[in-house]
Amino acid sequence: MTRAETRLREQMCMLAKSMFDRGLTGGSTGNISARTDDGGLLVSPTGTSFGRLDPARLSRFDGEGQLIDGDHPTKEMPLHAAFYDTRNTAGAVVHLHSCHSVALSMMPDADWDNFLPPLTPYGIMKLGKVKLLPFFLPGDPAMGEAVRGLAGKRSAVMLANHGPVVAAKDVEAACNAIEELEDTARLAMMTRGLNPRALSDAEVQGLITKFDVEWDD
């Protein structure tokens, strides 16, 4: 095992524990994966808690997608694979069962094409438009097919009544982005019914232009 892979294993487990300790996903929910230098993947095993991941037991896939070491991977592998296969910039994928984003997905007026309201600049800068997908049974390969149907045009999706999934260039960026998604959803739920002042269309467009944000229509 290379020194870089050892560091990546430790980083994945440290970031996962940080999110678990702050209540962003509980029990044995959530999963995380990251690309290795040789084109393979490290993936959190099935049925494991983000608070107690063991770097030595992460599922290890080779560049051909074959499991070569570690425990059996999360049942959400089709979801992770769909992002890696359709977004060549994806170096990591994170999926949480974060409370406020799930709550927002249940609201009858949820926006299917642009799930997060434009309340702060950072949700836009880190995530672009978040696609709300319908409910699927956990582990259903149809989740992966739904992501593939987006043809790589979104870095983040929200699974209705389930949780967010975010892809980014590396595992730290993916964790930062999915935390921003949950923070924005929490703000949306906190201010729901209070008529908060969101960013204007012009302000959103300014962010898209200045920070070169992916903003697929």
Side-chain angles (χ1 to χ4, degrees), residues 36-172:
T36 55
D37 287 345
D38 63 359
L41 284 177
L42 289 169
V43 184
S44 56
T46 186
T48 51
S49 167
F50 263 30
R52 298 179 292 278
L53 289 181
D54 181 347
R57 297 182 65 177
L58 295 178
S59 310
R60 177 63 155 97
F61 289 81
D62 64 17
E64 304 302 314
Q66 299 298 311
L67 181 66
I68 58 172
D69 193 27
D71 292 346
H72 193 72
T74 171
K75 61 179 173 294
E76 307 291 14
M77 274 302 295
L79 191 57
H80 289 249
F83 274 107
Y84 290 117
D85 291 347
T86 58
R87 290 182 62 84
N88 58 18
T89 58
V93 175
V94 182
H95 168 44
L96 302 178
H97 292 188
S98 41
C99 182
H100 295 89
S101 56
V102 174
L104 188 61
S105 79
M106 299 175 187
M107 296 298 102
D109 57 350
D111 188 332
W112 290 89
D113 189 57
N114 191 11
F115 173 65
L116 290 179
L119 299 179
T120 74
Y122 301 100
I124 294 163
M125 292 159 56
K126 292 183 181 294
L127 296 154
K129 276 187 181 177
V130 178
K131 179 74 172 179
L132 176 59
L133 296 177
F135 174 74
F136 298 95
L137 291 176
D140 188 343
M143 283 191 284
E145 292 309 309
V147 170
R148 291 177 191 278
L150 300 175
K153 294 179 180 178
R154 302 293 177 96
S155 67
V157 300
M158 180 66 204
L159 304 171
N161 301 72
H162 185 159
V165 193
V166 173
K169 64 179 181 178
D170 56 43
V171 70
E172 185 170 8

